[in-house]
Amino acid sequence: MNPTETLTELISVRGVSKSFATEGGEKNVLDDVSFSIREGEIVALLGRSGSGKSTLLRCVAGLIAPSEGEVAYRGKRLNGANPGTALVFQSFALLPWLTVIENVELGLEAKGVKTAERRERALRAIDIIGLDGFESAYPKELSGGMRQRVGFARAIVVEPDVLLMDEPFSALDVLTSENLRSELVRMWADGSMPTRTALIVTHNIEEAIQLADRVLVLDSNPGRIKAELSVPMPKPRDRRSPEFEALVDEVYGILTGQKAEPRRETLAATAGDAAAASGLDVPLPTASTGALGGLVGLLAARGGTEGLAEIADDLRYEIDDLLPVVDAALLLKLARPHGPDLRITEQGRRYAAADPLRAKEQFATLAVEAAPLVRRIVRELRHSDSGAIRADDVLAELKAFYGDDDAEQQLDTAIDWGRYGELFEFDADSDRLLLPTHPDAAAGVPSA
Amino acid sequence: MPLLRQVPGAGVLRRPRLRWADILVAAAIVVVLYLVARASAGATAPLNLEAPQAISTDPANLPYYALRSLLRMFAALAASVVFTFVVATAAARLPRAEKIILPALDILQSVPILGFLSVTVTGFIALFPGSTLGLEAASVFAIFTSQAWNMAFSFHSSLVSQPDDLDEAARLMRLTKWERFWKLDVPSGMIPLVWNGMMSFGGGWFFLAASEAVTVGNTSFSLPGVGAYVAAAVGAGELDHVGYAILTMAIMVLGVNFLFWRPLVAWAERFRNEDTAAADRPRSVVLGILSRSSIPRGFGRAIAPVNRVFDAATRPFGIAEHPLHVPALRRRAGDVAVVVVVAAAITYGAYWAYVFIDSTAGLGSFGEAFLHGLITLLRVVVIIVLATIVWVPIGVWIGMNPRISRLAQPVVQLLASFPANFLFPFVIAFFVAAHIPLDIGGIVLMALGSQWYILFNVIAGASAIPTDLRQAMESFGLGRWQRWRRLILPGVFPSYVTGGITAAGGAWNAAIVAEVVSYNHQTLTATGLGADIAQATSSGDMAHVLVGVLVMSVFVVGINRLFWRRLYRIAETRFAL
Ligand SMILES: Nc1ncnc2c1ncn2[C@@H]1O[C@H](COP(=O)(O)OP(=O)(O)OP(=O)(O)O)[C@@H](O)[C@H]1O
Ligand SMILES: [Mg+2]
């Protein structure tokens, strides 16, 4: 890739502050934020919920006026919607009364593009984004993932200079978002995406590092740029590569305000050959999701840090039984060791505070990220044509690494995790693992 | 290379196949066109002020009269829609205009429209000299004033509550003002607009009936129509003919509902953002036939070029976007200019009215009008109190029984939209026979049309009480009084207040037609502000009309502010479920 310095500066944000009037007075959301976006560069804006990411993005889009400072597009100060951008919304923001193609064509219509050319360009965008066959469907007939594809098609059809995205995947389930994200990476890689410059807002660290050339970390209260990292890895990026993980840890540390800790030995050290790629050699701690929830809840209730012995006592666990649960918490980064004690992480706190549905979602994301066996099953299910795989096949593979009992235990644990996270189901009658979308999935019988 | 593909399904539409639905729709279009042509031919007939057109009470004329009345109703609806689009959009998009438009609409909503009839009739006749069109316009205008403010409010509130993300998407796509209006603003406000239009249309019948036969300055004007027919029949004391007119009216109300509003309501469902359960979806037979026919789609294709022309023609008006930064000085200057202009207009109007009244009726007439206003107020209060005592329990009972409310709702809706002035003759005949003075009887006349709003709204409120709350209350074993206090009253109170405001407003308006009535060549009069306005109108005494209308407006606006608004706030803060 060319050194970005030589390229045109498309967007420049200079000293932008934004405050909102609230009942309790002024609320300062952004404070003296400056950065720029150059042609061909993908920038991720990362920050916690409420740090002002969306606000900053809307300033860049010219939808709201900064209280101080200015945003310029190609050197010209914005005084209204930014003419060089298109926005992909978290909520999709499709017009429900227009069909897919009408939604996609709307932006072209606004530009005064003639009917025939409009139709052609819209169909091409629909093609690129993988929506063929849905042209005359209404948004409410589509799944969330398909709706967001319409959102993307609508944005790229006008061939904006800069594609703005506000958490485009966060309203989707884990699988769908993963799928759409990797397609986005592919489109950028193979050049089918007409727009090569983007600003993506996210609070998912891995998403930021997977997609972006540069990551801006936004601090909260008030929002200011806390760190700026460039991501030099070639794309597509392997999320399991040590470089990637090191960067994730670094950003994680910046976000939580701590120094990054090295990842646990087991994961990094054994990663290597084909066996690692299959993910089957990394054992899943045999902890039930219920026990895990109990542990994290207890930590949260105890102010965040607690000795293992006390925990075991409290939960009436033998310490040996507790360890897999602790391992699971460590694996999913819900907690980390702190001397002889266990300390809850920011993620763990959120998990403990979340309502059951959110907790499930969070768990699903974490499990797919950190638990190789779960990820492996999810991936295979996704690649299978029927959305179902035989549990026996998985068991047979597991037996190559574990004894019979252990292999079964591994599978049982994976099924428990997958079910809790609503990643997949297990149909005991037919001994199959199913995607939740599989027609038989709802009829699944709870396992013993 | 991507080729130009067809949208799937497009080929199916192109297959030429004449279906029965097409024949039916085509026939209906021909019939409607013929009827419109027939009715509008009469509307432009020359007007002879010396010998006004006589209204025959021969029932054979009723179909034609009904047609003319319908045309007026739809003309008023069209005018209301245009007004709504322009004024509500201006209020929503121009902050300065909003500050003027909203209070103005609020006052206009409370003004007794019928009091203006004389002014508007005179004005419109002058506008179209020698043509019936002036009278037609005055009648249409009277109906329009009963619908437009409501509809504009409804559309304005849906414009300002548009989802943020859709607004942002439209702005970033740089839609032109015209495109944004038709692609986002109208569709997102469609459902409330259609419902509000339907309700306002129902209320419009009353004004249709009142405005077809008016007497201004000792000249009686009649337009061929059902309302004028009733007036003529009543004047001649022919109750059987009034009966025919009522039948015609019922057929019209039901027919318009079936052929126009139901299909429209069902069609508007496509603009709903989220899915409704299939069972609750409004359905319509007529819409079903229309959608089975290819004529509407063909029509859509045929007007596509017209759309393109409009699109291109409105492009120079720019995109639907407002500047982020406005220099403070310019903004201040604009504000000052608007305030100065508005203040000057109001001052001039007030000064003109003062001079006019002072030199004719004299300022003393305000005192008398105020006293008579108190008497009419008493009637309104009696109506509201009685209607509350009677209809709140019944409305709650209906609303809490889903089965009954499904049956009762259309009936109540029909009753509310049936023009009460059609029923006046029977009630008046009874008063005459029983020697009941109109001072008392007027209360009944005024209540005839207005009470239904209370019932209607209470039913709506009661049926919206969540079932689980109700069951929870029952399972706590609360007594009847406790249930009313804790659940039912809080649940229906906000909608009761809405109904109460509408009912009171309707009663004030009805006073103008109910405090002076004539029947079988004799005239009954009650003491009250409504009677003052009606008499001043028919004797052409504009100063007294002005005084009467001003005082009545002050009463209505004042009571709304001092009483209903407070009640509403209590409803919102203390009784919100
Ligand atoms: N129009 C507004 N009026 C008042 N406060 C606002 C407004 N818009 C945003 N805020 C506040 O500004 C802060 C930042 O909001 P913003 O939506 O930009 O955060 P975010 O980083 O996008 O968060 P999330 O990850 O939840 O989307 C929040 O505390 C929010 O309440
Ligand atoms: Mg946000």
Side-chain angles (χ1 to χ4, degrees), chain A residues 17-22 25-30 55 65-68:
Chain A
S17 301
K18 178 74 187 172
S19 45
F20 291 107
T22 58
E26 290 274 285
K27 183 179 162 61
N28 204 1
V29 175
L30 293 175
T55 307
S67 312
E68 271 167 59

Side-chain angles (χ1 to χ4, degrees), chain A residues 18-22 27-30 47-58 64 90 166-167 201-203 218 221, chain B residues 164:
Chain A
K18 178 74 187 172
S19 45
F20 291 107
T22 58
K27 183 179 162 61
N28 204 1
V29 175
L30 293 175
R48 295 200 209 171
S49 184
S51 56
K53 305 182 297 289
S54 299
T55 307
L56 185 53
L57 190 81
R58 272 156 183 75
I64 56 176
Q90 180 179 9
D166 190 359
E167 305 198 20
V201 158
T202 173
H203 54 224
L218 203 62
N221 289 327
Chain B
D164 279 342

Side-chain angles (χ1 to χ4, degrees), chain A residues 58 79 81 91 97 110 140, chain B residues 165 183 275 315 321 324-325:
Chain A
R58 272 156 183 75
N79 192 20
S91 57
W97 38 85
K140 65 178 121 190
Chain B
D165 56 351
K183 300 280 183 190
D275 297 309
R315 200 156 279 278
E321 178 66 327
L324 290 180
H325 312 276

Side-chain angles (χ1 to χ4, degrees), chain A residues 224-244:
Chain A
R224 49 165 78 102
I225 299 212
K226 192 178 191 182
E228 185 175 340
L229 300 89
S230 61
V231 186
M233 286 177 271
K235 293 184 214 171
R237 291 167 184 157
D238 175 12
R239 291 223 224 154
R240 307 322 314 171
S241 77
E243 274 171 285
F244 193 100

